[in-house]
Amino acid sequence: MNLLPIPAFSDNYIWMIHDAEHAVVIDPGQAEPVLNMLAQLGLKLQGILVTHHHADHVGGVDAIRAATGAPVWGPAYEALPEPVTRVQGGDSIELLGGPWQVIDVPGHTSGHIAFFSAHTNINDQIQPVLFCGDTLFSGGCGRLFEGTAAQMQASLDALAALPASTLVCCAHEYTISNLRFAQAVEPNNPDLAQYLDHCQKLRALHQPTLPSTLQTELAINPFMRSRAADVIAAAVHHDPQTKPREPASVLATLRHWKNVF
């Protein structure tokens, strides 16, 4: 399998995974970049996966479906361009020769889902792959537009339980700005300093910082570290009303802080 982040808009990635014959795309906010890549690589589109209803994730669905005839799968309880096969946590989809597990990850939107494959051959290496939309970013998490901090905490906990080697395919190139905030939270985190340097070098070469790995996010992402002592201390210092023994309260403080950072 080959894993490609296709740039769209100013900072979106439309993910494509393909086996040199068939492809699947995730969150196609624009049609043209996807159709161009399919033509360039000579691929037949087998399916379209959608994590949530925001326009920058579904805007290209109708045109791509019309051009390719590919079926669409998306969250059970969100308004999407029909027709869509509705899925929710616990469901699985057979695409590209293997099952893709659906995980409920509300918070950014009320019905947000993620897609996870436990055994995907990426460049001759078996690796788990996660398409997480706008729930988890490298160094950050999505804004709480429709959900609660408690929902986001539960969603991130569900993702944290996946294998550490999981490739984390986020939908936006927000990494550098997220890591600068993360350093405000944990200025003495050596893993974070090293990762920021690595990502800055990638961006200087106009290369994506993604995919990340779950192991990396657990080491550097404050929203995945709401139970870490230094993160709790920073949250309480920023807002003394934070409840240090409640991870969702810590996450809520971090999210409010990040919104104005």
Side-chain angles (χ1 to χ4, degrees):
M1 296 288 178
N2 298 278
L3 188 61
L4 301 175
I6 303 173
F9 304 110
S10 61
D11 54 33
N12 280 68
Y13 289 127
I14 301 167
W15 287 94
M16 174 182 286
I17 185 166
H18 72 86
D19 61 7
E21 184 178 356
H22 295 96
V24 170
V25 294
I26 299 87
D27 286 345
Q30 285 182 306
E32 186 177 6
V34 172
L35 297 175
N36 287 345
M37 188 63 70
L38 291 170
Q40 178 182 329
L41 299 178
L43 301 171
K44 179 176 175 56
L45 190 62
Q46 193 176 80
I48 301 168
L49 303 180
V50 173
T51 64
H52 65 292
H53 67 85
H54 286 162
D56 63 323
H57 294 252
V58 302
V61 166
D62 280 337
I64 295 170
R65 178 170 43 207
T68 66
V72 182
W73 288 265
Y77 304 110
E78 296 200 350
L80 299 170
E82 297 289 352
V84 180
T85 299
R86 302 293 181 152
V87 292
Q88 58 188 311
D91 291 340
S92 65
I93 303 165
E94 290 290 329
L95 285 169
L96 295 177
W100 290 85
Q101 176 187 346
V102 180
I103 305 171
D104 287 328
V105 286
H108 180 65
T109 67
S110 60
H112 202 302
I113 59 175
F115 299 94
F116 173 72
S117 172
H119 304 286
T120 304
N121 187 333
I122 303 293
N123 298 326
D124 297 322
Q125 183 175 352
I126 301 298
Q127 284 190 278
V129 178
L130 172 71
F131 297 110
C132 51
D134 287 356
T135 295
L136 173 62
F137 297 127
S138 189
C141 76
R143 287 177 181 258
L144 303 178
F145 287 124
E146 299 173 11
T148 66
Q151 285 179 313
M152 181 63 84
Q153 182 65 59
S155 295
L156 295 180
D157 285 347
L159 299 183
L162 299 175
S165 60
T166 298
L167 295 177
V168 177
C169 301
C170 322
H172 289 273
E173 184 58 76
Y174 290 164
T175 308
I176 299 299
S177 61
N178 285 341
L179 295 181
R180 288 176 178 147
F181 171 72
Q183 284 202 311
V185 178
E186 284 193 284
N188 299 316
N189 183 331
D191 294 322
L192 177 55
Q194 183 177 3
Y195 185 58
L196 175 57
D197 180 65
H198 168 71
C199 290
Q200 286 174 326
K201 289 175 179 175
L202 288 174
R203 295 309 292 155
L205 297 172
H206 306 289
Q207 295 181 8
T209 60
L210 302 170
S212 176
T213 66
L214 192 57
Q215 181 177 11
T216 295
E217 297 310 310
L218 291 170
I220 60 90
N221 188 330
F223 296 94
M224 300 288 279
R225 295 170 55 77
S226 56
R227 296 174 178 85
D230 286 352
V231 174
I232 294 170
V236 171
H237 184 264
H238 180 77
D239 180 358
Q241 299 300 311
T242 304
K243 299 175 182 178
R245 295 184 180 178
E246 297 182 14
S249 177
V250 174
L251 186 146
T253 295
L254 293 174
R255 190 58 261 179
H256 289 307
W257 183 3
K258 176 65 167 68
N259 288 350
V260 298
F261 182 73

